[in-house]
Amino acid sequence: MKEYKAVKVKWDVYLENLNKELDEFTKEGWEVVNVTTEPPNTLNFVVILCREV
């Protein structure tokens, strides 16, 4: 069975926040399924993750 979760990551110019968050999730066994942006006025990425449980 797969477990899914979505997280918001604040946008920054060099994508450091996104890369840091994704590195932490992969260490915990999560796999990135999708990365999307929210509407431009929010400046966030939404990352969909899954892992086998």
Side-chain angles (χ1 to χ4, degrees), residues 38-49:
E38 286 194 320
N41 59 344
T42 62
L43 297 176
N44 289 316
F45 290 102
V46 177
V47 180
I48 309 297
L49 304 151

Side-chain angles (χ1 to χ4, degrees), residues 1-43:
M1 187 163 110
K2 291 194 179 214
E3 175 183 16
Y4 291 89
K5 74 175 173 179
V7 294
K8 279 187 188 180
V9 180
K10 186 169 176 61
W11 183 87
D12 66 63
V13 175
Y14 301 107
L15 300 178
E16 289 175 11
N17 288 338
L18 179 61
N19 288 332
K20 181 180 174 184
E21 292 286 329
L22 294 181
D23 286 345
E24 288 300 314
F25 288 125
T26 55
K27 288 177 186 175
E28 297 172 5
W30 290 96
E31 181 180 328
V32 176
V33 176
N34 193 10
V35 177
T36 60
T37 56
E38 286 194 320
N41 59 344
T42 62
L43 297 176

